[in-house]
Amino acid sequence: MPKIKTNRAAAKRFRITGTGKLKRSKAYKSHILTKKSPKRKRNLRKSTITDPTNAKYIKKMVPYL
């Protein structure tokens, strides 16, 4: 059986936690930050867990994560 190629874009965006869940960073924090409140920008810094509905497809894209 040949090795599966990893989707490099997905590999850079997701990390796996100790319990096997996928961790991702939040969007909307790269530009046009003047109109966003400090509280909103602070909350965007934190990482979050990927939704289980998407996790199945991400694990297929990144098989050796």
Tab-separated table of all heavy atoms in Angstrom:
chain	number	residue	atom	x	y	z
A	1	MET	N	0.842	-1.193	0.000
A	1	MET	CA	0.000	0.000	0.000
A	1	MET	C	0.887	1.257	0.000
A	1	MET	O	1.762	1.389	0.869
A	1	MET	CB	-0.849	-0.045	1.263
A	1	MET	CG	-2.141	0.708	1.261
A	1	MET	SD	-3.301	0.148	0.062
A	1	MET	CE	-4.364	1.550	0.049
A	2	PRO	N	0.682	2.192	-0.941
A	2	PRO	CA	1.511	3.407	-0.949
A	2	PRO	C	1.131	4.354	0.199
A	2	PRO	O	0.031	4.273	0.739
A	2	PRO	CB	1.193	4.042	-2.301
A	2	PRO	CG	-0.124	3.520	-2.675
A	2	PRO	CD	-0.238	2.160	-2.068
A	3	LYS	N	2.085	5.232	0.500
A	3	LYS	CA	1.839	6.213	1.550
A	3	LYS	C	0.845	7.257	1.057
A	3	LYS	O	0.787	7.549	-0.131
A	3	LYS	CB	3.150	6.896	1.947
A	3	LYS	CG	4.071	6.003	2.754
A	3	LYS	CD	5.215	6.795	3.317
A	3	LYS	CE	6.376	6.786	2.337
A	3	LYS	NZ	7.545	7.477	2.887
A	4	ILE	N	0.075	7.828	1.977
A	4	ILE	CA	-0.907	8.863	1.640
A	4	ILE	C	-0.221	10.225	1.730
A	4	ILE	O	0.518	10.485	2.681
A	4	ILE	CB	-2.111	8.815	2.603
A	4	ILE	CG1	-2.736	7.420	2.625
A	4	ILE	CG2	-3.163	9.847	2.216
A	4	ILE	CD1	-3.653	7.190	3.798
A	5	LYS	N	-0.472	11.076	0.732
A	5	LYS	CA	0.090	12.422	0.774
A	5	LYS	C	-0.714	13.295	1.729
A	5	LYS	O	-1.942	13.269	1.733
A	5	LYS	CB	0.073	13.044	-0.624
A	5	LYS	CG	1.241	12.608	-1.468
A	5	LYS	CD	1.473	13.566	-2.614
A	5	LYS	CE	2.751	13.202	-3.342
A	5	LYS	NZ	2.975	14.084	-4.493
A	6	THR	N	0.009	14.068	2.519
A	6	THR	CA	-0.603	14.991	3.463
A	6	THR	C	-0.955	16.281	2.744
A	6	THR	O	-0.166	16.776	1.947
A	6	THR	CB	0.391	15.297	4.609
A	6	THR	OG1	0.649	14.090	5.317
A	6	THR	CG2	-0.147	16.334	5.567
A	7	ASN	N	-2.120	16.826	3.040
A	7	ASN	CA	-2.494	18.145	2.532
A	7	ASN	C	-1.716	19.163	3.359
A	7	ASN	O	-1.970	19.336	4.549
A	7	ASN	CB	-4.008	18.334	2.688
A	7	ASN	CG	-4.486	19.660	2.170
A	7	ASN	OD1	-3.914	20.707	2.475
A	7	ASN	ND2	-5.558	19.634	1.402
A	8	ARG	N	-0.735	19.818	2.750
A	8	ARG	CA	0.185	20.691	3.484
A	8	ARG	C	-0.514	21.923	4.059
A	8	ARG	O	-0.129	22.414	5.121
A	8	ARG	CB	1.355	21.120	2.581
A	8	ARG	CG	2.249	19.978	2.128
A	8	ARG	CD	2.718	19.046	3.236
A	8	ARG	NE	3.544	19.701	4.218
A	8	ARG	CZ	3.780	19.257	5.432
A	8	ARG	NH1	3.252	18.113	5.823
A	8	ARG	NH2	4.534	19.913	6.273
A	9	ALA	N	-1.511	22.434	3.370
A	9	ALA	CA	-2.255	23.597	3.875
A	9	ALA	C	-2.957	23.249	5.183
A	9	ALA	O	-2.930	24.031	6.134
A	9	ALA	CB	-3.256	24.060	2.832
A	10	ALA	N	-3.565	22.067	5.237
A	10	ALA	CA	-4.261	21.633	6.454
A	10	ALA	C	-3.266	21.329	7.573
A	10	ALA	O	-3.534	21.619	8.743
A	10	ALA	CB	-5.101	20.401	6.160
A	11	ALA	N	-2.111	20.785	7.224
A	11	ALA	CA	-1.097	20.435	8.227
A	11	ALA	C	-0.581	21.669	8.959
A	11	ALA	O	-0.241	21.604	10.141
A	11	ALA	CB	0.049	19.696	7.567
A	12	LYS	N	-0.531	22.814	8.260
A	12	LYS	CA	-0.052	24.059	8.866
A	12	LYS	C	-1.113	24.709	9.749
A	12	LYS	O	-0.796	25.500	10.618
A	12	LYS	CB	0.367	25.038	7.780
A	12	LYS	CG	1.621	24.609	7.055
A	12	LYS	CD	1.819	25.429	5.797
A	12	LYS	CE	2.919	24.812	4.946
A	12	LYS	NZ	3.012	25.458	3.626
A	13	ARG	N	-2.372	24.392	9.513
A	13	ARG	CA	-3.469	25.057	10.220
A	13	ARG	C	-3.982	24.324	11.450
A	13	ARG	O	-4.617	24.934	12.309
A	13	ARG	CB	-4.645	25.268	9.260
A	13	ARG	CG	-4.431	26.391	8.280
A	13	ARG	CD	-5.500	26.374	7.206
A	13	ARG	NE	-5.445	27.549	6.359
A	13	ARG	CZ	-4.606	27.709	5.346
A	13	ARG	NH1	-3.715	26.766	5.070
A	13	ARG	NH2	-4.617	28.800	4.619
A	14	PHE	N	-3.743	23.043	11.548
A	14	PHE	CA	-4.323	22.254	12.634
A	14	PHE	C	-3.265	21.532	13.452
A	14	PHE	O	-2.259	21.077	12.920
A	14	PHE	CB	-5.315	21.226	12.071
A	14	PHE	CG	-6.461	21.847	11.328
A	14	PHE	CD1	-6.456	21.898	9.949
A	14	PHE	CD2	-7.535	22.389	12.017
A	14	PHE	CE1	-7.505	22.489	9.256
A	14	PHE	CE2	-8.596	22.973	11.338
A	14	PHE	CZ	-8.578	23.022	9.950
A	15	ARG	N	-3.527	21.434	14.764
A	15	ARG	CA	-2.688	20.668	15.682
A	15	ARG	C	-3.608	19.701	16.416
A	15	ARG	O	-4.795	19.969	16.589
A	15	ARG	CB	-2.006	21.591	16.698
A	15	ARG	CG	-1.015	22.560	16.091
A	15	ARG	CD	0.326	21.927	15.827
A	15	ARG	NE	1.207	22.798	15.068
A	15	ARG	CZ	1.352	22.783	13.747
A	15	ARG	NH1	0.635	21.949	13.013
A	15	ARG	NH2	2.187	23.590	13.137
A	16	ILE	N	-3.039	18.619	16.906
A	16	ILE	CA	-3.843	17.640	17.641
A	16	ILE	C	-3.589	17.795	19.147
A	16	ILE	O	-2.468	18.074	19.562
A	16	ILE	CB	-3.554	16.204	17.128
A	16	ILE	CG1	-4.714	15.270	17.438
A	16	ILE	CG2	-2.246	15.669	17.642
A	16	ILE	CD1	-4.853	14.119	16.504
A	17	THR	N	-4.643	17.652	19.938
A	17	THR	CA	-4.518	17.774	21.388
A	17	THR	C	-4.178	16.406	21.974
A	17	THR	O	-4.180	15.400	21.266
A	17	THR	CB	-5.831	18.281	22.018
A	17	THR	OG1	-6.859	17.325	21.755
A	17	THR	CG2	-6.234	19.632	21.482
A	18	GLY	N	-3.939	16.359	23.254
A	18	GLY	CA	-3.609	15.105	23.926
A	18	GLY	C	-4.730	14.089	23.876
A	18	GLY	O	-4.488	12.887	23.860
A	19	THR	N	-5.973	14.569	23.837
A	19	THR	CA	-7.131	13.672	23.808
A	19	THR	C	-7.540	13.294	22.385
A	19	THR	O	-8.537	12.597	22.194
A	19	THR	CB	-8.334	14.304	24.530
A	19	THR	OG1	-8.590	15.591	23.949
A	19	THR	CG2	-8.081	14.450	26.014
A	20	GLY	N	-6.820	13.799	21.385
A	20	GLY	CA	-7.101	13.442	19.994
A	20	GLY	C	-8.009	14.401	19.255
A	20	GLY	O	-8.378	14.150	18.116
A	21	LYS	N	-8.369	15.513	19.888
A	21	LYS	CA	-9.204	16.515	19.220
A	21	LYS	C	-8.317	17.434	18.378
A	21	LYS	O	-7.117	17.540	18.629
A	21	LYS	CB	-9.974	17.337	20.248
A	21	LYS	CG	-11.042	16.549	20.964
A	21	LYS	CD	-11.710	17.375	22.035
A	21	LYS	CE	-12.714	16.553	22.808
A	21	LYS	NZ	-13.235	17.283	23.960
A	22	LEU	N	-8.921	18.099	17.413
A	22	LEU	CA	-8.169	19.005	16.542
A	22	LEU	C	-8.307	20.436	17.018
A	22	LEU	O	-9.408	20.908	17.295
A	22	LEU	CB	-8.664	18.878	15.101
A	22	LEU	CG	-8.253	17.598	14.393
A	22	LEU	CD1	-9.074	17.390	13.149
A	22	LEU	CD2	-6.785	17.624	14.035
A	23	LYS	N	-7.174	21.114	17.109
A	23	LYS	CA	-7.128	22.498	17.564
A	23	LYS	C	-6.885	23.394	16.359
A	23	LYS	O	-6.106	23.046	15.481
A	23	LYS	CB	-5.979	22.630	18.573
A	23	LYS	CG	-6.031	23.861	19.429
A	23	LYS	CD	-5.107	23.734	20.613
A	23	LYS	CE	-3.651	23.878	20.203
A	23	LYS	NZ	-2.767	24.116	21.333
A	24	ARG	N	-7.570	24.537	16.316
A	24	ARG	CA	-7.382	25.479	15.222
A	24	ARG	C	-7.332	26.895	15.762
A	24	ARG	O	-7.798	27.160	16.875
A	24	ARG	CB	-8.520	25.364	14.212
A	24	ARG	CG	-9.866	25.794	14.773
A	24	ARG	CD	-10.935	25.911	13.711
A	24	ARG	NE	-12.226	26.250	14.304
A	24	ARG	CZ	-12.635	27.493	14.546
A	24	ARG	NH1	-11.844	28.521	14.272
A	24	ARG	NH2	-13.816	27.724	15.077
A	25	SER	N	-6.777	27.807	14.969
A	25	SER	CA	-6.779	29.210	15.361
A	25	SER	C	-7.973	29.895	14.719
A	25	SER	O	-8.493	29.426	13.709
A	25	SER	CB	-5.478	29.892	14.949
A	25	SER	OG	-5.294	29.763	13.551
A	26	LYS	N	-8.413	30.990	15.291
A	26	LYS	CA	-9.608	31.683	14.826
A	26	LYS	C	-9.296	32.607	13.651
A	26	LYS	O	-8.168	33.090	13.513
A	26	LYS	CB	-10.232	32.478	15.973
A	26	LYS	CG	-10.833	31.581	17.030
A	26	LYS	CD	-11.455	32.383	18.146
A	26	LYS	CE	-11.975	31.478	19.234
A	26	LYS	NZ	-12.458	32.233	20.387
A	27	ALA	N	-10.295	32.874	12.845
A	27	ALA	CA	-10.161	33.750	11.674
A	27	ALA	C	-10.495	35.194	12.057
A	27	ALA	O	-10.874	35.469	13.205
A	27	ALA	CB	-11.085	33.268	10.581
A	28	TYR	N	-10.374	36.106	11.096
A	28	TYR	CA	-10.745	37.529	11.215
A	28	TYR	C	-9.846	38.328	12.155
A	28	TYR	O	-10.298	39.283	12.763
A	28	TYR	CB	-12.218	37.678	11.663
A	28	TYR	CG	-13.181	36.896	10.829
A	28	TYR	CD1	-13.852	35.793	11.361
A	28	TYR	CD2	-13.414	37.237	9.505
A	28	TYR	CE1	-14.740	35.059	10.589
A	28	TYR	CE2	-14.294	36.511	8.725
A	28	TYR	CZ	-14.960	35.428	9.267
A	28	TYR	OH	-15.833	34.703	8.507
A	29	LYS	N	-8.581	37.980	12.267
A	29	LYS	CA	-7.698	38.777	13.121
A	29	LYS	C	-6.444	39.272	12.401
A	29	LYS	O	-5.486	39.685	13.040
A	29	LYS	CB	-7.327	38.006	14.389
A	29	LYS	CG	-6.535	36.741	14.164
A	29	LYS	CD	-6.059	36.198	15.489
A	29	LYS	CE	-5.592	34.789	15.471
A	29	LYS	NZ	-4.605	34.384	14.557
A	30	SER	N	-6.453	39.264	11.068
A	30	SER	CA	-5.245	39.635	10.343
A	30	SER	C	-5.218	41.085	9.873
A	30	SER	O	-4.164	41.701	9.829
A	30	SER	CB	-5.033	38.702	9.155
A	30	SER	OG	-6.156	38.750	8.309
A	31	HIS	N	-6.358	41.645	9.502
A	31	HIS	CA	-6.369	43.049	9.046
A	31	HIS	C	-7.727	43.679	9.334
A	31	HIS	O	-8.649	43.008	9.803
A	31	HIS	CB	-6.030	43.140	7.554
A	31	HIS	CG	-6.995	42.431	6.669
A	31	HIS	ND1	-8.042	43.053	6.055
A	31	HIS	CD2	-7.092	41.126	6.332
A	31	HIS	CE1	-8.728	42.162	5.351
A	31	HIS	NE2	-8.194	40.986	5.507
A	32	ILE	N	-7.834	44.988	9.078
A	32	ILE	CA	-9.006	45.809	9.426
A	32	ILE	C	-9.326	45.647	10.920
A	32	ILE	O	-10.430	45.285	11.320
A	32	ILE	CB	-10.248	45.498	8.538
A	32	ILE	CG1	-9.854	45.353	7.078
A	32	ILE	CG2	-11.299	46.611	8.668
A	32	ILE	CD1	-10.979	44.881	6.166
A	33	LEU	N	-8.321	45.916	11.735
A	33	LEU	CA	-8.463	45.716	13.175
A	33	LEU	C	-8.958	46.962	13.902
A	33	LEU	O	-9.309	46.878	15.080
A	33	LEU	CB	-7.119	45.271	13.771
A	33	LEU	CG	-6.581	43.937	13.247
A	33	LEU	CD1	-5.159	43.729	13.709
A	33	LEU	CD2	-7.449	42.779	13.656
A	34	THR	N	-9.006	48.108	13.217
A	34	THR	CA	-9.391	49.356	13.890
A	34	THR	C	-10.850	49.352	14.309
A	34	THR	O	-11.192	49.882	15.363
A	34	THR	CB	-9.129	50.566	12.975
A	34	THR	OG1	-9.713	50.311	11.703
A	34	THR	CG2	-7.653	50.822	12.819
A	35	LYS	N	-11.724	48.746	13.518
A	35	LYS	CA	-13.163	48.746	13.849
A	35	LYS	C	-13.545	47.637	14.822
A	35	LYS	O	-14.667	47.614	15.307
A	35	LYS	CB	-14.010	48.662	12.583
A	35	LYS	CG	-13.833	47.401	11.780
A	35	LYS	CD	-14.775	47.363	10.588
A	35	LYS	CE	-14.241	48.162	9.420
A	35	LYS	NZ	-15.000	47.912	8.192
A	36	LYS	N	-12.619	46.720	15.102
A	36	LYS	CA	-12.902	45.631	16.038
A	36	LYS	C	-12.544	46.063	17.452
A	36	LYS	O	-11.514	46.688	17.672
A	36	LYS	CB	-12.120	44.373	15.644
A	36	LYS	CG	-12.616	43.779	14.346
A	36	LYS	CD	-11.694	42.755	13.777
A	36	LYS	CE	-12.151	42.389	12.379
A	36	LYS	NZ	-11.085	41.834	11.580
A	37	SER	N	-13.383	45.694	18.396
A	37	SER	CA	-13.171	46.100	19.782
A	37	SER	C	-12.001	45.323	20.388
A	37	SER	O	-11.702	44.213	19.944
A	37	SER	CB	-14.430	45.849	20.606
A	37	SER	OG	-14.640	44.467	20.748
A	38	PRO	N	-11.346	45.887	21.416
A	38	PRO	CA	-10.239	45.182	22.067
A	38	PRO	C	-10.648	43.816	22.622
A	38	PRO	O	-9.883	42.863	22.566
A	38	PRO	CB	-9.828	46.120	23.201
A	38	PRO	CG	-10.267	47.455	22.767
A	38	PRO	CD	-11.509	47.240	21.957
A	39	LYS	N	-11.869	43.727	23.127
A	39	LYS	CA	-12.372	42.459	23.669
A	39	LYS	C	-12.476	41.408	22.564
A	39	LYS	O	-12.098	40.251	22.764
A	39	LYS	CB	-13.745	42.686	24.304
A	39	LYS	CG	-14.340	41.445	24.941
A	39	LYS	CD	-15.717	41.721	25.493
A	39	LYS	CE	-16.327	40.469	26.062
A	39	LYS	NZ	-17.672	40.724	26.610
A	40	ARG	N	-12.981	41.827	21.408
A	40	ARG	CA	-13.132	40.909	20.280
A	40	ARG	C	-11.766	40.436	19.782
A	40	ARG	O	-11.560	39.245	19.526
A	40	ARG	CB	-13.890	41.625	19.166
A	40	ARG	CG	-14.216	40.764	17.979
A	40	ARG	CD	-15.100	41.543	17.046
A	40	ARG	NE	-15.128	40.955	15.731
A	40	ARG	CZ	-15.593	41.555	14.651
A	40	ARG	NH1	-16.086	42.770	14.728
A	40	ARG	NH2	-15.582	40.952	13.486
A	41	LYS	N	-10.808	41.360	19.681
A	41	LYS	CA	-9.454	41.009	19.217
A	41	LYS	C	-8.755	40.078	20.206
A	41	LYS	O	-8.055	39.158	19.805
A	41	LYS	CB	-8.632	42.275	19.008
A	41	LYS	CG	-9.044	43.065	17.777
A	41	LYS	CD	-8.104	44.190	17.489
A	41	LYS	CE	-8.410	45.408	18.327
A	41	LYS	NZ	-7.674	46.610	17.859
A	42	ARG	N	-8.986	40.308	21.486
A	42	ARG	CA	-8.399	39.471	22.538
A	42	ARG	C	-8.943	38.047	22.448
A	42	ARG	O	-8.207	37.082	22.597
A	42	ARG	CB	-8.702	40.106	23.895
A	42	ARG	CG	-7.976	39.502	25.066
A	42	ARG	CD	-8.044	40.399	26.306
A	42	ARG	NE	-9.407	40.725	26.718
A	42	ARG	CZ	-9.934	41.958	26.672
A	42	ARG	NH1	-9.234	42.982	26.209
A	42	ARG	NH2	-11.165	42.183	27.082
A	43	ASN	N	-10.237	37.911	22.202
A	43	ASN	CA	-10.846	36.587	22.083
A	43	ASN	C	-10.420	35.858	20.821
A	43	ASN	O	-10.408	34.633	20.793
A	43	ASN	CB	-12.374	36.697	22.148
A	43	ASN	CG	-12.876	36.981	23.544
A	43	ASN	OD1	-12.253	36.561	24.518
A	43	ASN	ND2	-13.975	37.694	23.666
A	44	LEU	N	-10.065	36.606	19.782
A	44	LEU	CA	-9.612	35.989	18.531
A	44	LEU	C	-8.207	35.405	18.645
A	44	LEU	O	-7.814	34.577	17.839
A	44	LEU	CB	-9.656	37.005	17.384
A	44	LEU	CG	-11.044	37.391	16.883
A	44	LEU	CD1	-10.952	38.549	15.915
A	44	LEU	CD2	-11.746	36.226	16.234
A	45	ARG	N	-7.456	35.834	19.658
A	45	ARG	CA	-6.099	35.306	19.872
A	45	ARG	C	-6.116	33.840	20.287
A	45	ARG	O	-5.234	33.076	19.931
A	45	ARG	CB	-5.403	36.083	20.991
A	45	ARG	CG	-4.700	37.325	20.536
A	45	ARG	CD	-3.897	37.894	21.700
A	45	ARG	NE	-4.193	39.306	21.871
A	45	ARG	CZ	-4.245	39.937	23.035
A	45	ARG	NH1	-4.047	39.290	24.155
A	45	ARG	NH2	-4.502	41.218	23.099
A	46	LYS	N	-7.120	33.481	21.056
A	46	LYS	CA	-7.194	32.125	21.605
A	46	LYS	C	-7.481	31.099	20.514
A	46	LYS	O	-8.201	31.387	19.559
A	46	LYS	CB	-8.309	32.048	22.655
A	46	LYS	CG	-8.149	33.017	23.805
A	46	LYS	CD	-9.402	33.036	24.645
A	46	LYS	CE	-9.370	34.140	25.679
A	46	LYS	NZ	-10.670	34.296	26.320
A	47	SER	N	-6.945	29.910	20.700
A	47	SER	CA	-7.262	28.821	19.773
A	47	SER	C	-8.511	28.100	20.280
A	47	SER	O	-8.894	28.238	21.433
A	47	SER	CB	-6.092	27.853	19.661
A	47	SER	OG	-5.790	27.315	20.918
A	48	THR	N	-9.123	27.328	19.392
A	48	THR	CA	-10.359	26.631	19.745
A	48	THR	C	-10.348	25.229	19.154
A	48	THR	O	-9.498	24.911	18.330
A	48	THR	CB	-11.593	27.435	19.266
A	48	THR	OG1	-12.770	26.802	19.713
A	48	THR	CG2	-11.638	27.575	17.759
A	49	ILE	N	-11.293	24.414	19.571
A	49	ILE	CA	-11.406	23.041	19.088
A	49	ILE	C	-12.244	23.034	17.806
A	49	ILE	O	-13.266	23.717	17.716
A	49	ILE	CB	-12.067	22.133	20.166
A	49	ILE	CG1	-11.238	22.144	21.462
A	49	ILE	CG2	-12.257	20.712	19.663
A	49	ILE	CD1	-9.863	21.557	21.373
A	50	THR	N	-11.800	22.266	16.823
A	50	THR	CA	-12.535	22.133	15.565
A	50	THR	C	-13.838	21.380	15.798
A	50	THR	O	-13.887	20.455	16.607
A	50	THR	CB	-11.674	21.377	14.535
A	50	THR	OG1	-10.416	22.019	14.456
A	50	THR	CG2	-12.306	21.367	13.168
A	51	ASP	N	-14.865	21.762	15.075
A	51	ASP	CA	-16.169	21.109	15.184
A	51	ASP	C	-16.056	19.648	14.756
A	51	ASP	O	-15.390	19.346	13.762
A	51	ASP	CB	-17.179	21.844	14.302
A	51	ASP	CG	-18.606	21.483	14.655
A	51	ASP	OD1	-19.085	21.914	15.711
A	51	ASP	OD2	-19.223	20.745	13.872
A	52	PRO	N	-16.698	18.721	15.469
A	52	PRO	CA	-16.575	17.291	15.124
A	52	PRO	C	-17.052	16.935	13.717
A	52	PRO	O	-16.582	15.969	13.121
A	52	PRO	CB	-17.432	16.579	16.164
A	52	PRO	CG	-17.832	17.585	17.153
A	52	PRO	CD	-17.454	18.931	16.684
A	53	THR	N	-17.971	17.745	13.157
A	53	THR	CA	-18.452	17.475	11.805
A	53	THR	C	-17.363	17.693	10.762
A	53	THR	O	-17.319	17.016	9.738
A	53	THR	CB	-19.670	18.357	11.454
A	53	THR	OG1	-19.327	19.716	11.689
A	53	THR	CG2	-20.872	17.991	12.276
A	54	ASN	N	-16.459	18.641	11.027
A	54	ASN	CA	-15.345	18.911	10.110
A	54	ASN	C	-14.114	18.081	10.433
A	54	ASN	O	-13.279	17.858	9.561
A	54	ASN	CB	-14.963	20.395	10.159
A	54	ASN	CG	-16.091	21.291	9.727
A	54	ASN	OD1	-16.831	20.978	8.806
A	54	ASN	ND2	-16.244	22.413	10.412
A	55	ALA	N	-13.984	17.645	11.668
A	55	ALA	CA	-12.793	16.917	12.119
A	55	ALA	C	-12.543	15.649	11.324
A	55	ALA	O	-11.401	15.295	11.042
A	55	ALA	CB	-12.912	16.599	13.605
A	56	LYS	N	-13.601	14.983	10.925
A	56	LYS	CA	-13.495	13.736	10.160
A	56	LYS	C	-12.762	13.980	8.827
A	56	LYS	O	-11.882	13.211	8.448
A	56	LYS	CB	-14.899	13.183	9.903
A	56	LYS	CG	-14.922	11.801	9.271
A	56	LYS	CD	-16.333	11.252	9.169
A	56	LYS	CE	-17.032	11.743	7.918
A	56	LYS	NZ	-18.352	11.109	7.712
A	57	TYR	N	-13.101	15.072	8.152
A	57	TYR	CA	-12.492	15.391	6.858
A	57	TYR	C	-11.061	15.891	7.013
A	57	TYR	O	-10.208	15.600	6.183
A	57	TYR	CB	-13.346	16.419	6.114
A	57	TYR	CG	-14.738	15.928	5.850
A	57	TYR	CD1	-15.823	16.442	6.557
A	57	TYR	CD2	-14.974	14.902	4.937
A	57	TYR	CE1	-17.104	15.969	6.351
A	57	TYR	CE2	-16.261	14.419	4.715
A	57	TYR	CZ	-17.321	14.956	5.421
A	57	TYR	OH	-18.587	14.477	5.202
A	58	ILE	N	-10.799	16.613	8.081
A	58	ILE	CA	-9.454	17.126	8.343
A	58	ILE	C	-8.504	15.969	8.646
A	58	ILE	O	-7.367	15.952	8.178
A	58	ILE	CB	-9.467	18.158	9.487
A	58	ILE	CG1	-10.278	19.389	9.068
A	58	ILE	CG2	-8.054	18.572	9.862
A	58	ILE	CD1	-10.732	20.254	10.207
A	59	LYS	N	-8.972	14.987	9.398
A	59	LYS	CA	-8.139	13.818	9.718
A	59	LYS	C	-7.796	13.013	8.463
A	59	LYS	O	-6.744	12.384	8.394
A	59	LYS	CB	-8.830	12.943	10.757
A	59	LYS	CG	-8.688	13.518	12.161
A	59	LYS	CD	-9.316	12.660	13.223
A	59	LYS	CE	-9.110	13.284	14.597
A	59	LYS	NZ	-9.816	12.566	15.647
A	60	LYS	N	-8.675	13.048	7.451
A	60	LYS	CA	-8.379	12.403	6.166
A	60	LYS	C	-7.309	13.167	5.404
A	60	LYS	O	-6.454	12.585	4.749
A	60	LYS	CB	-9.645	12.334	5.309
A	60	LYS	CG	-10.445	11.070	5.484
A	60	LYS	CD	-11.550	11.002	4.445
A	60	LYS	CE	-12.385	9.751	4.626
A	60	LYS	NZ	-13.506	9.708	3.668
A	61	MET	N	-7.356	14.508	5.508
A	61	MET	CA	-6.383	15.362	4.809
A	61	MET	C	-4.999	15.267	5.443
A	61	MET	O	-3.988	15.396	4.756
A	61	MET	CB	-6.849	16.808	4.803
A	61	MET	CG	-7.944	17.105	3.830
A	61	MET	SD	-8.166	18.857	3.589
A	61	MET	CE	-9.187	19.286	4.993
A	62	VAL	N	-4.971	15.092	6.764
A	62	VAL	CA	-3.707	15.042	7.514
A	62	VAL	C	-3.639	13.697	8.237
A	62	VAL	O	-3.849	13.622	9.441
A	62	VAL	CB	-3.581	16.217	8.492
A	62	VAL	CG1	-2.175	16.342	9.019
A	62	VAL	CG2	-4.016	17.524	7.842
A	63	PRO	N	-3.345	12.616	7.520
A	63	PRO	CA	-3.403	11.277	8.132
A	63	PRO	C	-2.337	11.003	9.186
A	63	PRO	O	-2.559	10.202	10.086
A	63	PRO	CB	-3.249	10.335	6.948
A	63	PRO	CG	-2.567	11.124	5.896
A	63	PRO	CD	-2.983	12.542	6.115
A	64	TYR	N	-1.179	11.667	9.104
A	64	TYR	CA	-0.073	11.368	10.024
A	64	TYR	C	0.095	12.434	11.091
A	64	TYR	O	1.171	12.620	11.643
A	64	TYR	CB	1.229	11.186	9.244
A	64	TYR	CG	1.085	10.170	8.137
A	64	TYR	CD1	1.076	10.571	6.802
A	64	TYR	CD2	0.922	8.823	8.439
A	64	TYR	CE1	0.926	9.636	5.783
A	64	TYR	CE2	0.789	7.882	7.429
A	64	TYR	CZ	0.786	8.294	6.101
A	64	TYR	OH	0.630	7.368	5.113
A	65	LEU	N	-0.967	13.165	11.411
A	65	LEU	CA	-0.900	14.265	12.380
A	65	LEU	C	-0.664	13.726	13.786
A	65	LEU	O	-1.284	12.792	14.213
A	65	LEU	CB	-2.203	15.061	12.325
A	65	LEU	CG	-2.214	16.393	13.056
A	65	LEU	CD1	-1.252	17.361	12.385
A	65	LEU	CD2	-3.606	16.979	13.041
